[in-house]
Amino acid sequence: MSTARVLPKSYTAYHFEEANSPLVKVELPWKEPQENEVVVEVLASGVCGSDHCVRAGLIGNSWPRVPGHEIVGDIVSKHPSVTNFKIGQRVGVPWNSRYCYKCRFCRSGVFEGCVERSAYTIGGARDGGYAQYVVVPADGLCSVPEVLDPAEVAPMMCAGVTVYSTHSVNGWVIAADESSPESLLYLNIPPGAVVAIQGVGGLGHLAIQFCRAMGYKTVAVSSSGAKRDIALQLGAHVYIDESKVDAVQELRRLGGADVIMSTVPCGQVTMKLLAGLAYEGKLVVLGLSEETAVFAPRALPPNRWSIHGFLCGTAKDCEDTIEFAMLHDIRCIVEKFPLDQAWEAFQHLEHARFRAVIVP
């Protein structure tokens, strides 16, 4: 005979007490979910570069704040108004928990353009996953198959969906049938095109796998030769070691890159590759950087180059990311840290191979 689960009166979390402070262990009181909310027991929470932006006060900026927006866990409590998810269900919690549903972007179904989206960020505007439990709006949840390792799925909520949705939602090729909404060829990048990924880290190692699976000639660009073997194993056709060769010249030898996906958090390093684009090439910036990047705009018109940005995706995008990854055996390489080592995991971000993940 089953019995109802006894929920705690409090739980452990790690938060920033103020801007640029270290993570501090706290005991937070249990909060019952309000309308349209659920409580998720955290099984894994990825450590993302955006968490550093939260700490610096560039995202959110209200204190104290529990960071973490790459979350996988089980629903342990829900408000009666939530009918599309059930107790015990495995779910993912991405960066954007909900949208205003009123602005022109929401009304057009382009939710990532919501003018108020920053007010609903998990781990930014409200507490996130560096904790035993997290209270989140049901609107932002995605379903997660229980057969998958929560620690490997958690980074798909941000790193994975960012590189995947850059292809699918923003119009790269994902299906041969052009009548499909997901193959509108918005960026006109056909199969077989040269796609270069700058940076072989948390975002980059996933981008390599997704690009290879989607049929692109995949080029990995890194600042050293340290990740050559793993990049080739993950599916890169070509590896460019910038410590030994000029990456722009190497890309030009390939005919130029139709797309360069920059995953590095360094503006000037990103812009340095601009000249490696082919005619009508696209530079897609995925890494967050406050650094000023300098380039000569006169190079854009004659080459028809364009610069794009992309970040995260909707809950549906996350589900599509997980499904595509399962079909093509795309795996996130993670390093696991127990919750009581949250600060160590956060500091380890720069050295993680390739994604630090906090687990119970």
Side-chain angles (χ1 to χ4, degrees):
M1 180 176 179
S2 62
T3 58
R5 176 172 179 171
V6 177
L7 300 174
K9 294 182 178 180
S10 65
Y11 61 93
T12 299
Y14 283 78
H15 72 198
F16 300 120
E17 293 187 336
E18 58 186 11
N20 298 313
S21 67
L23 284 170
V24 177
K25 182 179 180 179
V26 292
E27 198 70 15
L28 298 179
W30 178 267
K31 295 180 181 179
E32 288 297 321
Q34 302 302 301
E35 186 173 3
N36 195 42
E37 289 184 339
V38 303
V39 180
V40 174
E41 181 178 17
V42 179
L43 299 178
S45 184
V47 179
C48 176
S50 299
D51 296 340
H52 282 261
C53 295
V54 171
R55 179 175 181 248
L58 301 175
I59 297 176
N61 74 20
S62 59
W63 313 104
R65 177 62 64 227
V66 178
H69 57 272
E70 296 181 340
I71 307 167
V72 170
D74 294 334
I75 297 175
V76 294
S77 180
K78 69 185 185 74
H79 190 271
S81 60
V82 178
T83 58
N84 54 335
F85 291 95
K86 61 184 180 180
I87 300 295
Q89 185 171 348
R90 182 71 45 85
V91 294
V93 184
W95 182 242
N96 295 315
S97 63
R98 68 183 304 263
Y99 309 96
C100 76
Y101 306 115
K102 299 176 183 178
C103 71
R104 66 186 179 95
F105 296 104
C106 285
R107 287 163 62 86
S108 300
V110 187
F111 295 111
E112 288 305 292
C114 174
V115 298
E116 297 182 15
R117 65 188 181 278
S118 62
Y120 304 113
T121 53
I122 298 296
R126 58 187 295 161
D127 285 343
Y130 288 23
Q132 291 177 310
Y133 298 91
V134 61
V135 182
V136 296
D139 293 6
L141 298 177
C142 75
S143 298
V144 173
E146 292 192 19
V147 297
L148 301 177
D149 182 349
E152 293 185 8
V153 178
M156 295 295 180
M157 298 299 105
C158 180
V161 72
T162 292
V163 296
Y164 173 80
S165 294
T166 303
H167 302 68
S168 62
V169 176
N170 225 24
W172 293 16
V173 178
I174 190 170
D177 179 7
E178 294 190 20
S179 66
S180 166
E182 292 185 333
S183 60
L184 295 177
L185 307 183
Y186 177 74
L187 293 180
N188 296 315
I189 309 301
V194 176
V195 177
I197 295 98
Q198 183 184 37
V200 188
L203 283 166
H205 90 285
L206 288 171
I208 290 170
Q209 296 177 76
F210 280 116
C211 286
R212 177 65 181 248
M214 291 177 179
Y216 300 114
K217 183 169 183 177
T218 305
V219 181
V221 181
S222 187
S223 60
S224 74
K227 295 182 179 178
R228 178 184 178 85
D229 290 345
I230 188 65
L232 296 177
Q233 291 170 17
L234 292 173
H237 297 95
V238 178
Y239 185 88
I240 297 177
D241 176 359
E242 291 190 279
S243 69
K244 294 182 178 179
V245 297
D246 185 317
V248 169
Q249 293 300 321
E250 292 300 309
L251 289 174
R252 286 177 174 174
R253 287 192 181 94
L254 295 172
D258 297 291
V259 171
I260 295 175
M261 295 176 62
S262 177
T263 70
V264 300
C266 182
Q268 199 52 50
V269 169
T270 296
M271 285 302 168
K272 188 174 68 173
L273 282 190
L274 189 65
L277 288 171
Y279 184 71
E280 293 190 332
K282 283 83 174 173
L283 172 64
V284 183
V285 180
L286 304 180
L288 299 180
S289 172
E290 286 294 301
E291 177 186 281
T292 299
V294 179
F295 72 100
R298 62 178 173 76
L300 301 183
N303 295 293
R304 291 190 183 179
W305 291 339
S306 56
I307 301 173
H308 303 254
F310 201 90
L311 184 67
C312 299
T314 65
K316 177 60 167 60
D317 295 333
C318 290
E319 290 181 351
D320 292 345
T321 300
I322 294 170
E323 182 177 7
F324 189 89
M326 290 180 67
L327 288 172
H328 295 276
D329 196 28
I330 294 172
R331 306 283 293 274
C332 184
I333 302 174
V334 301
E335 295 181 46
K336 300 179 182 180
F337 291 79
L339 180 58
D340 61 8
Q341 293 181 18
W343 179 233
E344 288 84 349
F346 182 84
Q347 293 177 302
H348 189 65
L349 178 64
E350 297 293 330
H351 311 287
R353 190 180 175 92
F354 289 88
R355 205 69 168 176
V357 177
I358 297 169
V359 296

